[in-house]
Structures are given as C-alpha cells and as structure tokens.
Amino acid sequence: MNLKNKVALVTGASAGIGKAIATKFAEHCCNLIITARRVNLIDELSKELTAKYGVRVITIENDIRNFENVKIAFDSIPDELKKIDILVNNAGLARGLSTIQDGDINDWEEMIDTNMKGLLYISRLVLPIMVAKSSGMVINISSIAGRAAYPKGNVYCATKSAVRTISEAMAIDLNGTGVRVCNIDPGMVETEFSLVRFHGDSEKAENVYKQFTPLIGEDIADIALFVATRPGHVMIQDIMVTPTDQATAMVVNRK
Ligand code: 8X3
C-alpha cells in the first residue's frame, strides 16, 4: 500500500514516537491530522512538514481525556480529511514510579484517562468511518510494560496491558470489515517518556538511558511505516521491539 494521498491521524504528535511517525508518513506523501496538548509544537511541525513534503497537515489541540473535547475536535476536521485511512493511537504517558501502596492517585487518573480512555474515545469516533469504507488501519502504540508488570510500574503496566487487550479485541470485532489492527510494544525509547514519568526531573530521566544504546522515535516510525504499507490482505497484528541490550523490561545490559 502506498501512503500517497492517504490520511493518517496521529495522536500525541508533539514529540517522541508520535512526531517521528507523523514525519515518516509525511515523507511518504501522507496527509496528516496531528493532535497534542501542546499545540505550539504541532503547529511548528505542521509548517515544517507542509513546506518540506507538500502534504496537507491539520493540527488539533486536544486533551483526549475528555470525550466531549475529543468529539468537538473530531467534528472540526474538514470533510475531505475525515476519510481517515490510518489511526495511530500514540498518545500516552507514564506518570510516577512508586509502589502501589505509595501510589499517587492523580498520577493513576492521568495514566488511566489518557492511555486507556483517550485511546478508546478516539477509536470510537474513527472506526465507524473505516468500517463504512471497508478499509483502514489502527496502529496502537502500547509498550513492553503491557506484557508483564515490573517493580513500581503497576498502573502504567496495567494501562498498557489494557491497550494490548484492546488491540486484540479490535482485531476480533473488526474481523470481516477490512479494517486492520496492529499493536506495537516498544521497549526503552529515548524520548520525553522518562522526563514525564519523573515529573520533569531531568537527571533521573537521563539515567534511564545511560550505558546502553536505547531506541529512538525513528526506530518505531520505521516499523509503523512498514506495517502501514503492507498490501491490503496482510495484517501485522503484534510487534515487540527493544534495544539490543534490553531483553525484558528489567533485564538491560548496561556497560
Ligand atoms: C516504555 C517502556 O520499559 O520503560 O513504555 O516501561 S518501559
């Protein structure tokens, strides 16, 4: 499948994996709807991608935690771009790293509302469009954290486990509609992920990626591009990707 003149909606496109996927798709002539909370960052990205690749990009400031906001934002998409071909559910975050008995309720709410409810809200609006045209693809960015809990990961791991289950459920419920679903579970990717997890503590965040070579957003974007460009009869359902020095969430070879 060629991405030329297709439309992809990428959530959480202001930085990291989302930004890398939006950029990679634009390089392949895909029009874009990009969403994020930090609208100044996606506005800049939109200008850059339009100038470089001549694609159409619209930006939507969107906090996906509230369904009414998501619906209003979705309704504002111009009709010619509403025929979304690819939905990349990338928006998500880890907030805090503490035992469940010491967990911060606000951190839990933010992760559950963004990683699970936000993904469901967007999908609920986009999937009927794909079903109506008997084609489309959903790429859910989950995490290695969804495959097994790790110490102090508790609620983050649970939300990513939920994303994994939602991906499975989507593939089942959409069977026969022509809509494809792929779940991607990245391991350690050097993005703002740890900075967000540690509430802006850059020293702690940098330590996470020291003494080995982590993945970068572009590594995941390459995979998303491969998934999105398979012929219509091919559905890649599930991918786990880690740095070579990472075997599991906790087994990392630091030099
Ligand atoms: C990010 C990967 O292992 O830091 O989702 O949780 S991990």
PDB file of all heavy atoms in Angstrom, residues 43-80:
ATOM      1  N   ASP A  43       1.858  22.847  15.708  1.00  0.00           N
ATOM      2  CA  ASP A  43       1.748  23.886  14.666  1.00  0.00           C
ATOM      3  C   ASP A  43       3.083  24.043  13.947  1.00  0.00           C
ATOM      4  O   ASP A  43       3.138  24.149  12.728  1.00  0.00           O
ATOM      5  CB  ASP A  43       1.322  25.228  15.281  1.00  0.00           C
ATOM      6  CG  ASP A  43      -0.188  25.270  15.539  1.00  0.00           C
ATOM      7  OD1 ASP A  43      -0.905  24.405  15.003  1.00  0.00           O
ATOM      8  OD2 ASP A  43      -0.646  26.167  16.278  1.00  0.00           O
ATOM      9  N   GLU A  44       4.173  24.043  14.717  1.00  0.00           N
ATOM     10  CA  GLU A  44       5.517  24.144  14.118  1.00  0.00           C
ATOM     11  C   GLU A  44       5.798  22.944  13.221  1.00  0.00           C
ATOM     12  O   GLU A  44       6.302  23.077  12.109  1.00  0.00           O
ATOM     13  CB  GLU A  44       6.582  24.124  15.220  1.00  0.00           C
ATOM     14  CG  GLU A  44       7.209  25.467  15.525  1.00  0.00           C
ATOM     15  CD  GLU A  44       8.089  25.358  16.757  1.00  0.00           C
ATOM     16  OE1 GLU A  44       8.950  24.462  16.810  1.00  0.00           O
ATOM     17  OE2 GLU A  44       7.862  26.162  17.685  1.00  0.00           O
ATOM     18  N   LEU A  45       5.468  21.759  13.728  1.00  0.00           N
ATOM     19  CA  LEU A  45       5.702  20.536  12.958  1.00  0.00           C
ATOM     20  C   LEU A  45       4.889  20.563  11.663  1.00  0.00           C
ATOM     21  O   LEU A  45       5.383  20.195  10.588  1.00  0.00           O
ATOM     22  CB  LEU A  45       5.318  19.304  13.799  1.00  0.00           C
ATOM     23  CG  LEU A  45       5.507  17.951  13.130  1.00  0.00           C
ATOM     24  CD1 LEU A  45       6.984  17.670  12.855  1.00  0.00           C
ATOM     25  CD2 LEU A  45       4.939  16.820  13.994  1.00  0.00           C
ATOM     26  N   SER A  46       3.668  21.035  11.767  1.00  0.00           N
ATOM     27  CA  SER A  46       2.796  21.105  10.597  1.00  0.00           C
ATOM     28  C   SER A  46       3.415  21.984   9.508  1.00  0.00           C
ATOM     29  O   SER A  46       3.477  21.601   8.332  1.00  0.00           O
ATOM     30  CB  SER A  46       1.444  21.655  11.049  1.00  0.00           C
ATOM     31  OG  SER A  46       0.768  22.218   9.974  1.00  0.00           O
ATOM     32  N   LYS A  47       3.914  23.155   9.916  1.00  0.00           N
ATOM     33  CA  LYS A  47       4.537  24.068   8.933  1.00  0.00           C
ATOM     34  C   LYS A  47       5.732  23.397   8.284  1.00  0.00           C
ATOM     35  O   LYS A  47       5.921  23.462   7.070  1.00  0.00           O
ATOM     36  CB  LYS A  47       4.995  25.358   9.638  1.00  0.00           C
ATOM     37  CG  LYS A  47       3.857  26.328   9.877  1.00  0.00           C
ATOM     38  CD  LYS A  47       4.394  27.665  10.408  1.00  0.00           C
ATOM     39  CE  LYS A  47       3.314  28.341  11.238  1.00  0.00           C
ATOM     40  NZ  LYS A  47       3.756  28.870  12.504  1.00  0.00           N
ATOM     41  N   GLU A  48       6.550  22.763   9.109  1.00  0.00           N
ATOM     42  CA  GLU A  48       7.766  22.120   8.601  1.00  0.00           C
ATOM     43  C   GLU A  48       7.424  21.006   7.588  1.00  0.00           C
ATOM     44  O   GLU A  48       8.011  20.940   6.507  1.00  0.00           O
ATOM     45  CB  GLU A  48       8.508  21.532   9.804  1.00  0.00           C
ATOM     46  CG  GLU A  48       9.871  20.946   9.488  1.00  0.00           C
ATOM     47  CD  GLU A  48      10.390  20.148  10.695  1.00  0.00           C
ATOM     48  OE1 GLU A  48      10.195  20.588  11.860  1.00  0.00           O
ATOM     49  OE2 GLU A  48      10.957  19.064  10.468  1.00  0.00           O
ATOM     50  N   LEU A  49       6.440  20.179   7.936  1.00  0.00           N
ATOM     51  CA  LEU A  49       6.123  19.038   7.071  1.00  0.00           C
ATOM     52  C   LEU A  49       5.463  19.485   5.770  1.00  0.00           C
ATOM     53  O   LEU A  49       5.730  18.933   4.699  1.00  0.00           O
ATOM     54  CB  LEU A  49       5.220  18.043   7.813  1.00  0.00           C
ATOM     55  CG  LEU A  49       5.841  17.397   9.062  1.00  0.00           C
ATOM     56  CD1 LEU A  49       4.862  16.433   9.716  1.00  0.00           C
ATOM     57  CD2 LEU A  49       7.147  16.678   8.731  1.00  0.00           C
ATOM     58  N   THR A  50       4.622  20.515   5.865  1.00  0.00           N
ATOM     59  CA  THR A  50       3.982  21.033   4.652  1.00  0.00           C
ATOM     60  C   THR A  50       5.031  21.624   3.719  1.00  0.00           C
ATOM     61  O   THR A  50       5.022  21.380   2.509  1.00  0.00           O
ATOM     62  CB  THR A  50       2.928  22.099   5.020  1.00  0.00           C
ATOM     63  OG1 THR A  50       2.000  21.494   5.915  1.00  0.00           O
ATOM     64  CG2 THR A  50       2.175  22.587   3.800  1.00  0.00           C
ATOM     65  N   ALA A  51       5.958  22.415   4.296  1.00  0.00           N
ATOM     66  CA  ALA A  51       6.987  23.052   3.469  1.00  0.00           C
ATOM     67  C   ALA A  51       7.898  22.004   2.832  1.00  0.00           C
ATOM     68  O   ALA A  51       8.247  22.102   1.659  1.00  0.00           O
ATOM     69  CB  ALA A  51       7.798  24.021   4.322  1.00  0.00           C
ATOM     70  N   LYS A  52       8.270  20.993   3.599  1.00  0.00           N
ATOM     71  CA  LYS A  52       9.238  20.003   3.103  1.00  0.00           C
ATOM     72  C   LYS A  52       8.632  19.002   2.131  1.00  0.00           C
ATOM     73  O   LYS A  52       9.261  18.616   1.153  1.00  0.00           O
ATOM     74  CB  LYS A  52       9.784  19.202   4.298  1.00  0.00           C
ATOM     75  CG  LYS A  52      11.210  19.541   4.678  1.00  0.00           C
ATOM     76  CD  LYS A  52      11.659  18.515   5.691  1.00  0.00           C
ATOM     77  CE  LYS A  52      13.086  18.705   6.099  1.00  0.00           C
ATOM     78  NZ  LYS A  52      13.389  17.988   7.335  1.00  0.00           N
ATOM     79  N   TYR A  53       7.422  18.544   2.423  1.00  0.00           N
ATOM     80  CA  TYR A  53       6.889  17.407   1.664  1.00  0.00           C
ATOM     81  C   TYR A  53       5.613  17.737   0.883  1.00  0.00           C
ATOM     82  O   TYR A  53       5.076  16.861   0.191  1.00  0.00           O
ATOM     83  CB  TYR A  53       6.620  16.229   2.613  1.00  0.00           C
ATOM     84  CG  TYR A  53       7.837  15.845   3.415  1.00  0.00           C
ATOM     85  CD1 TYR A  53       7.882  16.039   4.795  1.00  0.00           C
ATOM     86  CD2 TYR A  53       8.971  15.312   2.783  1.00  0.00           C
ATOM     87  CE1 TYR A  53       9.015  15.714   5.528  1.00  0.00           C
ATOM     88  CE2 TYR A  53      10.104  14.983   3.518  1.00  0.00           C
ATOM     89  CZ  TYR A  53      10.116  15.186   4.888  1.00  0.00           C
ATOM     90  OH  TYR A  53      11.243  14.868   5.612  1.00  0.00           O
ATOM     91  N   GLY A  54       5.108  18.964   1.022  1.00  0.00           N
ATOM     92  CA  GLY A  54       3.924  19.375   0.259  1.00  0.00           C
ATOM     93  C   GLY A  54       2.653  18.627   0.632  1.00  0.00           C
ATOM     94  O   GLY A  54       1.711  18.574  -0.148  1.00  0.00           O
ATOM     95  N   VAL A  55       2.624  18.059   1.836  1.00  0.00           N
ATOM     96  CA  VAL A  55       1.415  17.340   2.265  1.00  0.00           C
ATOM     97  C   VAL A  55       0.493  18.291   3.020  1.00  0.00           C
ATOM     98  O   VAL A  55       0.912  19.342   3.497  1.00  0.00           O
ATOM     99  CB  VAL A  55       1.752  16.131   3.177  1.00  0.00           C
ATOM    100  CG1 VAL A  55       2.428  15.038   2.391  1.00  0.00           C
ATOM    101  CG2 VAL A  55       2.616  16.559   4.360  1.00  0.00           C
ATOM    102  N   ARG A  56      -0.752  17.919   3.123  1.00  0.00           N
ATOM    103  CA  ARG A  56      -1.700  18.705   3.900  1.00  0.00           C
ATOM    104  C   ARG A  56      -1.634  18.225   5.359  1.00  0.00           C
ATOM    105  O   ARG A  56      -1.693  17.020   5.625  1.00  0.00           O
ATOM    106  CB  ARG A  56      -3.098  18.486   3.313  1.00  0.00           C
ATOM    107  CG  ARG A  56      -4.103  19.339   3.953  1.00  0.00           C
ATOM    108  CD  ARG A  56      -5.137  19.887   2.998  1.00  0.00           C
ATOM    109  NE  ARG A  56      -6.012  20.738   3.805  1.00  0.00           N
ATOM    110  CZ  ARG A  56      -7.323  20.696   3.749  1.00  0.00           C
ATOM    111  NH1 ARG A  56      -7.915  19.912   2.894  1.00  0.00           N
ATOM    112  NH2 ARG A  56      -8.042  21.473   4.535  1.00  0.00           N
ATOM    113  N   VAL A  57      -1.487  19.162   6.270  1.00  0.00           N
ATOM    114  CA  VAL A  57      -1.421  18.787   7.697  1.00  0.00           C
ATOM    115  C   VAL A  57      -2.364  19.703   8.472  1.00  0.00           C
ATOM    116  O   VAL A  57      -2.274  20.924   8.352  1.00  0.00           O
ATOM    117  CB  VAL A  57       0.001  18.969   8.272  1.00  0.00           C
ATOM    118  CG1 VAL A  57       0.059  18.491   9.726  1.00  0.00           C
ATOM    119  CG2 VAL A  57       1.044  18.224   7.442  1.00  0.00           C
ATOM    120  N   ILE A  58      -3.270  19.122   9.227  1.00  0.00           N
ATOM    121  CA  ILE A  58      -4.030  19.975  10.137  1.00  0.00           C
ATOM    122  C   ILE A  58      -3.716  19.580  11.586  1.00  0.00           C
ATOM    123  O   ILE A  58      -3.418  18.417  11.874  1.00  0.00           O
ATOM    124  CB  ILE A  58      -5.560  19.985   9.878  1.00  0.00           C
ATOM    125  CG1 ILE A  58      -6.175  18.621  10.110  1.00  0.00           C
ATOM    126  CG2 ILE A  58      -5.903  20.503   8.508  1.00  0.00           C
ATOM    127  CD1 ILE A  58      -7.664  18.731  10.311  1.00  0.00           C
ATOM    128  N   THR A  59      -3.735  20.581  12.442  1.00  0.00           N
ATOM    129  CA  THR A  59      -3.376  20.334  13.836  1.00  0.00           C
ATOM    130  C   THR A  59      -4.615  20.502  14.712  1.00  0.00           C
ATOM    131  O   THR A  59      -5.465  21.354  14.451  1.00  0.00           O
ATOM    132  CB  THR A  59      -2.301  21.333  14.319  1.00  0.00           C
ATOM    133  OG1 THR A  59      -2.817  22.663  14.204  1.00  0.00           O
ATOM    134  CG2 THR A  59      -1.040  21.206  13.501  1.00  0.00           C
ATOM    135  N   ILE A  60      -4.691  19.691  15.717  1.00  0.00           N
ATOM    136  CA  ILE A  60      -5.816  19.790  16.649  1.00  0.00           C
ATOM    137  C   ILE A  60      -5.281  19.772  18.075  1.00  0.00           C
ATOM    138  O   ILE A  60      -4.617  18.805  18.482  1.00  0.00           O
ATOM    139  CB  ILE A  60      -6.808  18.628  16.455  1.00  0.00           C
ATOM    140  CG1 ILE A  60      -7.383  18.658  15.044  1.00  0.00           C
ATOM    141  CG2 ILE A  60      -7.911  18.692  17.491  1.00  0.00           C
ATOM    142  CD1 ILE A  60      -8.430  17.593  14.787  1.00  0.00           C
ATOM    143  N   GLU A  61      -5.554  20.859  18.783  1.00  0.00           N
ATOM    144  CA  GLU A  61      -5.187  20.891  20.205  1.00  0.00           C
ATOM    145  C   GLU A  61      -6.193  20.022  20.934  1.00  0.00           C
ATOM    146  O   GLU A  61      -7.393  20.270  20.853  1.00  0.00           O
ATOM    147  CB  GLU A  61      -5.260  22.329  20.731  1.00  0.00           C
ATOM    148  CG  GLU A  61      -4.929  22.420  22.194  1.00  0.00           C
ATOM    149  CD  GLU A  61      -4.993  23.848  22.713  1.00  0.00           C
ATOM    150  OE1 GLU A  61      -5.407  24.749  21.973  1.00  0.00           O
ATOM    151  OE2 GLU A  61      -4.630  24.034  23.877  1.00  0.00           O
ATOM    152  N   ASN A  62      -5.716  18.985  21.568  1.00  0.00           N
ATOM    153  CA  ASN A  62      -6.687  18.038  22.085  1.00  0.00           C
ATOM    154  C   ASN A  62      -6.185  17.326  23.323  1.00  0.00           C
ATOM    155  O   ASN A  62      -5.147  16.686  23.309  1.00  0.00           O
ATOM    156  CB  ASN A  62      -6.975  17.009  20.977  1.00  0.00           C
ATOM    157  CG  ASN A  62      -8.231  16.225  21.262  1.00  0.00           C
ATOM    158  OD1 ASN A  62      -8.947  16.505  22.213  1.00  0.00           O
ATOM    159  ND2 ASN A  62      -8.495  15.241  20.435  1.00  0.00           N
ATOM    160  N   ASP A  63      -6.943  17.452  24.379  1.00  0.00           N
ATOM    161  CA  ASP A  63      -6.692  16.649  25.559  1.00  0.00           C
ATOM    162  C   ASP A  63      -7.662  15.478  25.466  1.00  0.00           C
ATOM    163  O   ASP A  63      -8.866  15.649  25.657  1.00  0.00           O
ATOM    164  CB  ASP A  63      -6.952  17.491  26.817  1.00  0.00           C
ATOM    165  CG  ASP A  63      -6.578  16.724  28.067  1.00  0.00           C
ATOM    166  OD1 ASP A  63      -6.457  15.486  27.991  1.00  0.00           O
ATOM    167  OD2 ASP A  63      -6.414  17.368  29.109  1.00  0.00           O
ATOM    168  N   ILE A  64      -7.129  14.306  25.146  1.00  0.00           N
ATOM    169  CA  ILE A  64      -8.008  13.169  24.818  1.00  0.00           C
ATOM    170  C   ILE A  64      -8.692  12.559  26.040  1.00  0.00           C
ATOM    171  O   ILE A  64      -9.459  11.615  25.913  1.00  0.00           O
ATOM    172  CB  ILE A  64      -7.253  12.070  24.026  1.00  0.00           C
ATOM    173  CG1 ILE A  64      -6.079  11.492  24.834  1.00  0.00           C
ATOM    174  CG2 ILE A  64      -6.776  12.593  22.687  1.00  0.00           C
ATOM    175  CD1 ILE A  64      -5.432  10.279  24.170  1.00  0.00           C
ATOM    176  N   ARG A  65      -8.441  13.143  27.222  1.00  0.00           N
ATOM    177  CA  ARG A  65      -9.018  12.543  28.426  1.00  0.00           C
ATOM    178  C   ARG A  65     -10.503  12.833  28.586  1.00  0.00           C
ATOM    179  O   ARG A  65     -11.164  12.236  29.423  1.00  0.00           O
ATOM    180  CB  ARG A  65      -8.272  13.034  29.669  1.00  0.00           C
ATOM    181  CG  ARG A  65      -6.860  12.502  29.732  1.00  0.00           C
ATOM    182  CD  ARG A  65      -6.111  13.071  30.898  1.00  0.00           C
ATOM    183  NE  ARG A  65      -5.852  14.479  30.740  1.00  0.00           N
ATOM    184  CZ  ARG A  65      -5.309  15.246  31.668  1.00  0.00           C
ATOM    185  NH1 ARG A  65      -4.985  14.732  32.837  1.00  0.00           N
ATOM    186  NH2 ARG A  65      -5.089  16.521  31.458  1.00  0.00           N
ATOM    187  N   ASN A  66     -11.000  13.807  27.792  1.00  0.00           N
ATOM    188  CA  ASN A  66     -12.401  14.194  27.952  1.00  0.00           C
ATOM    189  C   ASN A  66     -13.151  13.933  26.648  1.00  0.00           C
ATOM    190  O   ASN A  66     -12.793  14.495  25.608  1.00  0.00           O
ATOM    191  CB  ASN A  66     -12.431  15.679  28.339  1.00  0.00           C
ATOM    192  CG  ASN A  66     -13.828  16.222  28.432  1.00  0.00           C
ATOM    193  OD1 ASN A  66     -14.527  16.312  27.428  1.00  0.00           O
ATOM    194  ND2 ASN A  66     -14.230  16.560  29.632  1.00  0.00           N
ATOM    195  N   PHE A  67     -14.184  13.089  26.693  1.00  0.00           N
ATOM    196  CA  PHE A  67     -14.838  12.699  25.440  1.00  0.00           C
ATOM    197  C   PHE A  67     -15.471  13.885  24.720  1.00  0.00           C
ATOM    198  O   PHE A  67     -15.426  13.955  23.492  1.00  0.00           O
ATOM    199  CB  PHE A  67     -15.896  11.609  25.668  1.00  0.00           C
ATOM    200  CG  PHE A  67     -16.517  11.162  24.363  1.00  0.00           C
ATOM    201  CD1 PHE A  67     -15.772  10.436  23.432  1.00  0.00           C
ATOM    202  CD2 PHE A  67     -17.821  11.514  24.034  1.00  0.00           C
ATOM    203  CE1 PHE A  67     -16.315  10.054  22.206  1.00  0.00           C
ATOM    204  CE2 PHE A  67     -18.371  11.130  22.810  1.00  0.00           C
ATOM    205  CZ  PHE A  67     -17.625  10.404  21.904  1.00  0.00           C
ATOM    206  N   GLU A  68     -16.056  14.821  25.485  1.00  0.00           N
ATOM    207  CA  GLU A  68     -16.688  15.976  24.822  1.00  0.00           C
ATOM    208  C   GLU A  68     -15.665  16.762  24.024  1.00  0.00           C
ATOM    209  O   GLU A  68     -15.913  17.172  22.888  1.00  0.00           O
ATOM    210  CB  GLU A  68     -17.378  16.894  25.862  1.00  0.00           C
ATOM    211  CG  GLU A  68     -18.670  16.319  26.402  1.00  0.00           C
ATOM    212  CD  GLU A  68     -19.595  15.759  25.303  1.00  0.00           C
ATOM    213  OE1 GLU A  68     -19.877  16.485  24.340  1.00  0.00           O
ATOM    214  OE2 GLU A  68     -20.016  14.593  25.405  1.00  0.00           O
ATOM    215  N   ASN A  69     -14.459  16.971  24.607  1.00  0.00           N
ATOM    216  CA  ASN A  69     -13.379  17.674  23.889  1.00  0.00           C
ATOM    217  C   ASN A  69     -12.977  16.916  22.633  1.00  0.00           C
ATOM    218  O   ASN A  69     -12.769  17.508  21.570  1.00  0.00           O
ATOM    219  CB  ASN A  69     -12.105  17.780  24.750  1.00  0.00           C
ATOM    220  CG  ASN A  69     -12.254  18.761  25.872  1.00  0.00           C
ATOM    221  OD1 ASN A  69     -13.220  19.514  25.905  1.00  0.00           O
ATOM    222  ND2 ASN A  69     -11.309  18.745  26.802  1.00  0.00           N
ATOM    223  N   VAL A  70     -12.859  15.615  22.775  1.00  0.00           N
ATOM    224  CA  VAL A  70     -12.435  14.792  21.642  1.00  0.00           C
ATOM    225  C   VAL A  70     -13.461  14.891  20.521  1.00  0.00           C
ATOM    226  O   VAL A  70     -13.124  15.049  19.345  1.00  0.00           O
ATOM    227  CB  VAL A  70     -12.242  13.305  22.083  1.00  0.00           C
ATOM    228  CG1 VAL A  70     -11.936  12.411  20.891  1.00  0.00           C
ATOM    229  CG2 VAL A  70     -11.115  13.202  23.095  1.00  0.00           C
ATOM    230  N   LYS A  71     -14.729  14.862  20.895  1.00  0.00           N
ATOM    231  CA  LYS A  71     -15.817  14.914  19.903  1.00  0.00           C
ATOM    232  C   LYS A  71     -15.827  16.259  19.188  1.00  0.00           C
ATOM    233  O   LYS A  71     -15.941  16.325  17.955  1.00  0.00           O
ATOM    234  CB  LYS A  71     -17.142  14.656  20.638  1.00  0.00           C
ATOM    235  CG  LYS A  71     -18.373  14.740  19.790  1.00  0.00           C
ATOM    236  CD  LYS A  71     -18.696  13.386  19.169  1.00  0.00           C
ATOM    237  CE  LYS A  71     -20.023  13.377  18.425  1.00  0.00           C
ATOM    238  NZ  LYS A  71     -20.049  14.145  17.196  1.00  0.00           N
ATOM    239  N   ILE A  72     -15.672  17.344  19.948  1.00  0.00           N
ATOM    240  CA  ILE A  72     -15.657  18.688  19.337  1.00  0.00           C
ATOM    241  C   ILE A  72     -14.475  18.792  18.371  1.00  0.00           C
ATOM    242  O   ILE A  72     -14.605  19.275  17.245  1.00  0.00           O
ATOM    243  CB  ILE A  72     -15.584  19.791  20.432  1.00  0.00           C
ATOM    244  CG1 ILE A  72     -16.909  19.835  21.206  1.00  0.00           C
ATOM    245  CG2 ILE A  72     -15.275  21.165  19.825  1.00  0.00           C
ATOM    246  CD1 ILE A  72     -16.863  20.636  22.496  1.00  0.00           C
ATOM    247  N   ALA A  73     -13.306  18.315  18.814  1.00  0.00           N
ATOM    248  CA  ALA A  73     -12.106  18.372  17.970  1.00  0.00           C
ATOM    249  C   ALA A  73     -12.314  17.545  16.712  1.00  0.00           C
ATOM    250  O   ALA A  73     -11.996  17.973  15.595  1.00  0.00           O
ATOM    251  CB  ALA A  73     -10.901  17.860  18.754  1.00  0.00           C
ATOM    252  N   PHE A  74     -12.881  16.382  16.873  1.00  0.00           N
ATOM    253  CA  PHE A  74     -13.105  15.485  15.739  1.00  0.00           C
ATOM    254  C   PHE A  74     -14.074  16.113  14.727  1.00  0.00           C
ATOM    255  O   PHE A  74     -13.841  16.072  13.516  1.00  0.00           O
ATOM    256  CB  PHE A  74     -13.660  14.161  16.262  1.00  0.00           C
ATOM    257  CG  PHE A  74     -13.874  13.141  15.200  1.00  0.00           C
ATOM    258  CD1 PHE A  74     -12.799  12.424  14.692  1.00  0.00           C
ATOM    259  CD2 PHE A  74     -15.145  12.908  14.686  1.00  0.00           C
ATOM    260  CE1 PHE A  74     -12.991  11.489  13.694  1.00  0.00           C
ATOM    261  CE2 PHE A  74     -15.346  11.977  13.693  1.00  0.00           C
ATOM    262  CZ  PHE A  74     -14.259  11.260  13.189  1.00  0.00           C
ATOM    263  N   ASP A  75     -15.126  16.735  15.246  1.00  0.00           N
ATOM    264  CA  ASP A  75     -16.118  17.356  14.355  1.00  0.00           C
ATOM    265  C   ASP A  75     -15.523  18.516  13.559  1.00  0.00           C
ATOM    266  O   ASP A  75     -16.062  18.903  12.525  1.00  0.00           O
ATOM    267  CB  ASP A  75     -17.334  17.840  15.169  1.00  0.00           C
ATOM    268  CG  ASP A  75     -18.173  16.657  15.664  1.00  0.00           C
ATOM    269  OD1 ASP A  75     -18.001  15.545  15.120  1.00  0.00           O
ATOM    270  OD2 ASP A  75     -18.973  16.847  16.601  1.00  0.00           O
ATOM    271  N   SER A  76     -14.401  19.086  14.064  1.00  0.00           N
ATOM    272  CA  SER A  76     -13.799  20.241  13.373  1.00  0.00           C
ATOM    273  C   SER A  76     -12.910  19.812  12.190  1.00  0.00           C
ATOM    274  O   SER A  76     -12.435  20.657  11.435  1.00  0.00           O
ATOM    275  CB  SER A  76     -12.971  21.063  14.372  1.00  0.00           C
ATOM    276  OG  SER A  76     -11.745  20.381  14.647  1.00  0.00           O
ATOM    277  N   ILE A  77     -12.697  18.532  12.016  1.00  0.00           N
ATOM    278  CA  ILE A  77     -11.850  18.072  10.894  1.00  0.00           C
ATOM    279  C   ILE A  77     -12.612  18.304   9.585  1.00  0.00           C
ATOM    280  O   ILE A  77     -13.773  17.891   9.457  1.00  0.00           O
ATOM    281  CB  ILE A  77     -11.510  16.558  11.046  1.00  0.00           C
ATOM    282  CG1 ILE A  77     -10.720  16.316  12.329  1.00  0.00           C
ATOM    283  CG2 ILE A  77     -10.728  16.052   9.829  1.00  0.00           C
ATOM    284  CD1 ILE A  77     -10.536  14.836  12.677  1.00  0.00           C
ATOM    285  N   PRO A  78     -11.967  18.970   8.609  1.00  0.00           N
ATOM    286  CA  PRO A  78     -12.664  19.187   7.332  1.00  0.00           C
ATOM    287  C   PRO A  78     -13.075  17.866   6.684  1.00  0.00           C
ATOM    288  O   PRO A  78     -12.363  16.861   6.817  1.00  0.00           O
ATOM    289  CB  PRO A  78     -11.615  19.898   6.460  1.00  0.00           C
ATOM    290  CG  PRO A  78     -10.474  20.246   7.349  1.00  0.00           C
ATOM    291  CD  PRO A  78     -10.597  19.476   8.622  1.00  0.00           C
ATOM    292  N   ASP A  79     -14.230  17.876   6.001  1.00  0.00           N
ATOM    293  CA  ASP A  79     -14.789  16.634   5.441  1.00  0.00           C
ATOM    294  C   ASP A  79     -13.801  15.860   4.575  1.00  0.00           C
ATOM    295  O   ASP A  79     -13.751  14.636   4.630  1.00  0.00           O
ATOM    296  CB  ASP A  79     -16.039  16.952   4.604  1.00  0.00           C
ATOM    297  CG  ASP A  79     -17.237  17.153   5.512  1.00  0.00           C
ATOM    298  OD1 ASP A  79     -17.118  16.821   6.716  1.00  0.00           O
ATOM    299  OD2 ASP A  79     -18.266  17.656   5.030  1.00  0.00           O
ATOM    300  N   GLU A  80     -13.023  16.597   3.761  1.00  0.00           N
ATOM    301  CA  GLU A  80     -12.125  15.891   2.821  1.00  0.00           C
ATOM    302  C   GLU A  80     -11.011  15.148   3.547  1.00  0.00           C
ATOM    303  O   GLU A  80     -10.380  14.254   2.982  1.00  0.00           O
ATOM    304  CB  GLU A  80     -11.582  16.838   1.744  1.00  0.00           C
ATOM    305  CG  GLU A  80     -10.641  17.926   2.199  1.00  0.00           C
ATOM    306  CD  GLU A  80     -11.328  19.162   2.791  1.00  0.00           C
ATOM    307  OE1 GLU A  80     -12.538  19.116   3.089  1.00  0.00           O
ATOM    308  OE2 GLU A  80     -10.623  20.165   2.987  1.00  0.00           O
TER     309      GLU A  80
END
